[in-house]
Amino acid sequence: MKKIQICMLIAIIVASVWVYVSREEEPPKSIQVGVSLYMENDTFLEGIVEAMEAEALLYEETTGISVDLNVSVANGSQREQNEQVKRYINLGYDAICVNLVDRTSAATIVDMAEVGERQIPVVFFNREPVEEDILRRENVYYVGSEAKESAIFQGNSVVDAYAKYGDIMDKNGDGILQYVMLEGELGHQDAIIRSDYSVQTIEDMGVTLKKLETGTADWNRQNAYAMMGKWLDIHGDAIELVLCNNDDMALGALDVLTEREMTAAVFGIDATDAGLEALDAGLLWATVDCNAEDQGCAIIQVLTSSILEGTAATTVSYLDGRYVRSEIFELKSEFWQ
Ligand code: GAL
């Protein structure tokens, strides 16, 4: 009996040493992450990806675990995005981050990332799926900012500017701000909500607006340049206020205004680097910092803790355990702060 006990003890010690030694010899772990973006050349998304890369490096420095990001772009095609996700899953990736082409396609991706017993974590970002799809199973998250909040900030900035510089903004002095609205992509939650609440905030605070034009420029500087050019051909100097769903479109409007040596008060959202430059130069009146940096960090924190601990990170603030909403800020040009 004693012999058996001694043998068992030796076996346990040998096993423990073996586990310890083999753990010590384990090569540094790495996490493979597949990222799919709806489109290339989107300035705000580039900011989020840069922040993800920086946070991944920091994670590797502090834990020794490398986070390898493989980024692909879906060129506006949901079919292409599904193929990209399928490829990541077939390659055995540990997590998938998706900036959806079509916000209604989230369920397909969530289901694709469930392989037998394996529930691969999926982090959607920037384009928000319906809650039902996020709650479809465990390990599905959304990182983004609150569209309504950014619109209210934009509206407040216009009202503040009007209180201070009403005489400059209201070029024809009729007590009404004639405005045009450059909108992001059709169906995008940020475009719909920002357009509605920006105008509503301004009107609710007692500033009278008159809509001259509104149009979709797909978040894009060149499209906005072309659209604003047409509107200036039609309305000329009657355009007093340019409300833009993002900075890139605000910059497109400013490009054409500058080219034609015309003025109008232009307001953006995002706080991209180029947007901030225009703000510093006093061209853009105000923007809203949607905190691309914080969003990128949150995505990495959510997925690493989801993979390694099987649970959501505690370092980022959660709403319902599945949503991260980045804090955002109003930024005004220095000339009228
Ligand atoms: C918005 C952002 C836009 C564009 C869009 C893409 O949140 O303000 O600039 O990046 O997302 O989905």
Side-chain angles (χ1 to χ4, degrees), residues 36 41 49 58 82 104 107 140 178 186-187 190 196 219 224 234 237 246 289 310 314 316-317 324:
S36 175
N41 297 330
V49 172
L58 194 70
N82 291 352
T104 61
V140 180
Q178 276 78 19
L186 283 176
D190 286 349
D196 287 353
W219 308 117
I234 302 168
D237 220 30
N246 78 343
D289 186 348
T314 46
V316 281
S317 45
V324 182

Side-chain angles (χ1 to χ4, degrees), residues 38 42-45 99-100 126-127 145 185 188-190 194 219 245-248 269-270 272 290:
Y38 85 108
D42 182 296
T43 317
F44 185 69
L45 288 177
N99 166 241
L100 284 165
N126 174 266
R127 295 163 162 250
S145 63
E185 209 182 333
H188 192 301
Q189 85 278 350
D190 286 349
R194 286 175 186 171
W219 308 117
N245 284 175
N246 78 343
D247 281 354
D248 267 1
I269 292 179
D270 274 353
T272 59
C290 291

